[in-house]
């Protein structure tokens, strides 16, 4: 893969890459669990891949003091980026947090931190599967 200068990329470009990486990792995880029906896969993926899910996951990351300073920096770069698209099916705050989470994933991927990215994704899967994101959404 051609090396991209993630340090110079804006938050929305990082989020663009991060969204794709996050989506493929979640889809791969769900298929590995044995789900085979596309409708079931789609329903289950909403617990991981939506602005509301990202906001709940980020709340847990903060609560558990999970992120490094650098990851928080790239999260904020994405969250604070001026977006010209509107949030669909969610509020602006959740949408911006979701963009931050995606930017952070993009940063980890583009900086070659695959071990940390896999560790983070495993942590996310655990939080969702334990129902912690459901609890976070109701707080």
């Amino acid at each position: 893969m051609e090396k991209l200068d993630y340090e110079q990329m804006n938050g929305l470009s990082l989020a663009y890459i991060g969204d794709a990486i996050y989506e493929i990792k979640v889809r791969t995880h769900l298929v590995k669990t044995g789900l085979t029906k596309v409708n079931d896969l789609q329903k289950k993926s909403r617990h991981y891949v939506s602005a509301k899910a990202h906001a709940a996951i980020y709340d847990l990351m903060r609560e558990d003091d999970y992120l490094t300073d650098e990851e928080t920096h790239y999260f904020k770069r994405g969250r604070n980026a001026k977006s010209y698209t509107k949030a669909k099916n969610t509020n602006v705050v959740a949408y911006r947090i979701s963009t931050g989470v995606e930017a952070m994933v993009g940063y980890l991927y583009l900086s070659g931190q695959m071990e940390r990215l896999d560790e983070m994704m495993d942590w996310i899967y655990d939080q969702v599967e334990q129902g912690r994101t459901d609890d976070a959404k109701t707080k």
Side-chain angles (χ1 to χ4, degrees):
M1 180 177 93
E2 180 183 329
K3 186 118 169 116
L4 297 173
D5 190 1
Y6 66 89
E7 293 173 338
Q8 298 301 314
M9 292 175 74
N10 68 44
L12 295 179
S13 295
L14 288 168
Y16 177 77
I17 295 291
D19 177 49
I21 299 304
Y22 188 91
E23 179 89 24
I24 194 74
K25 287 196 167 286
V26 167
R27 287 181 180 206
T28 302
H29 171 74
L30 292 176
V31 168
K32 283 181 181 178
T33 67
L35 289 173
T36 57
K37 294 182 180 172
V38 175
N39 193 38
D40 294 341
L41 288 163
Q42 201 61 33
K43 282 182 188 173
K44 191 79 166 171
S45 73
R46 285 187 211 123
H47 296 280
Y48 302 87
V49 184
S50 70
K52 290 176 186 172
H54 286 166
I57 288 164
Y58 179 71
D59 284 347
L60 291 172
M61 288 175 162
R62 272 197 353 221
E63 184 179 310
D64 292 358
D65 197 26
Y66 185 77
L67 301 175
T68 67
D69 290 344
E70 195 76 0
E71 290 162 353
T72 300
H73 168 78
Y74 282 94
F75 165 82
K76 288 178 180 178
R77 186 185 285 193
R79 182 198 61 194
N80 296 340
K82 176 71 175 141
S83 177
Y84 297 97
T85 59
K86 293 187 179 183
K88 298 174 200 106
N89 305 317
T90 192
N91 63 54
V92 174
V93 173
Y95 183 76
R96 292 175 71 91
I97 290 171
S98 180
T99 303
V101 169
E102 292 167 348
M104 181 177 56
V105 169
Y107 150 71
L108 289 172
Y109 176 76
L110 292 174
S111 64
Q113 297 181 60
M114 299 310 171
E115 190 173 315
R116 174 60 175 163
L117 178 56
D118 289 341
E119 175 189 297
M120 182 180 288
M121 293 306 300
D122 287 341
W123 184 89
I124 290 168
Y125 306 145
D126 288 344
Q127 305 318 301
V128 172
E129 288 158 15
Q130 291 172 23
R132 285 190 75 204
T133 54
D134 297 333
D135 295 340
K137 286 188 246 183
T138 59
K139 285 182 181 177

